[in-house]
Amino acid sequence: EAGRADDTRSAGARAAGHPAASALDEAKNVFLTAVSHELRTPLASIVGIALTLQRARSSLAEDDSADLIDRLAANAGKLDRLLSDLLDLDRLNRGIVTPKLHPTDLAALVTRIGTEWQDPGRPLKLAVEPVVAQVDPAKVERIVENLLANAARHTPPDTLVWVRVVRQDQGVLIAVEDA
């Protein structure tokens, strides 16, 4: 019922011409579309692999079976991480979890993440300015890792991925771009 009331208020605000409500509604729709796609991809793999294992249980070669089980585990892990990210976002929005802010050398953090990032055949360029900011380093690390994974997933191999850390007037910009 609360969701319906929110939808009704949002629709009413849009009808009344409130640009902020319209922009918020559009952002929500874009987010839900992206989340839906991101969740469906590993789930479709999990279902497909599980059905293959179920139907061909006795006729699969051991190597093929082991490969399918490895892929099943990898996709289940990805789905678990996506759901965990969603739950964390919800907890942050509701104030249940608060970020653990610490002065953090973002150049060092992003450089370490970039050094540890493993994607053979995909060049990575780091352009980091020395910046210390009050952030939750674990959350920033997770965000940068997710952005790198998205860049790798949605670009052809050999595409340059560029990570920048730039001081700005009101804070810091961390950008992950593909060329």
Side-chain angles (χ1 to χ4, degrees), residues 44-126:
S45 293
I46 289 168
V47 169
I49 292 168
L51 288 173
T52 300
L53 287 169
Q54 185 181 42
R55 290 181 183 148
R57 179 181 340 219
S58 60
S59 63
L60 279 175
E62 189 173 328
D63 288 348
D64 291 338
S65 181
D67 178 56
L68 286 173
I69 290 169
D70 288 346
R71 289 174 39 203
L72 183 64
N75 279 293
K78 179 179 179 182
L79 188 58
D80 182 55
R81 286 188 301 279
L82 288 168
L83 290 171
S84 179
D85 288 348
L86 281 174
L87 291 171
D88 284 351
L89 182 61
D90 179 58
R91 288 181 195 119
L92 282 168
N93 284 335
R94 292 189 297 144
I96 294 171
V97 172
T98 56
K100 295 174 178 68
L101 303 178
H102 304 285
T104 304
D105 181 343
L106 292 173
L109 178 66
V110 169
T111 299
R112 182 181 55 75
I113 295 166
T115 303
E116 293 172 356
W117 188 55
Q118 308 244 338
D119 194 342
R122 188 174 307 275
L124 178 68
K125 178 181 178 184
L126 297 175

Side-chain angles (χ1 to χ4, degrees), residues 5-6 9 16 24-25 42-43 64 72 87 99 117 127 156 179:
D6 289 343
R9 280 193 297 272
L24 182 62
D25 195 45
L43 185 58
D64 291 338
L72 183 64
L87 291 171
W117 188 55

Side-chain angles (χ1 to χ4, degrees), residues 106-107 110-111 127-131 163-167 172-175:
L106 292 173
V110 169
T111 299
V128 297
E129 294 178 9
V131 179
V163 182
R164 296 182 297 136
V165 176
V166 181
R167 181 184 308 277
V172 180
L173 169 70
I174 300 175

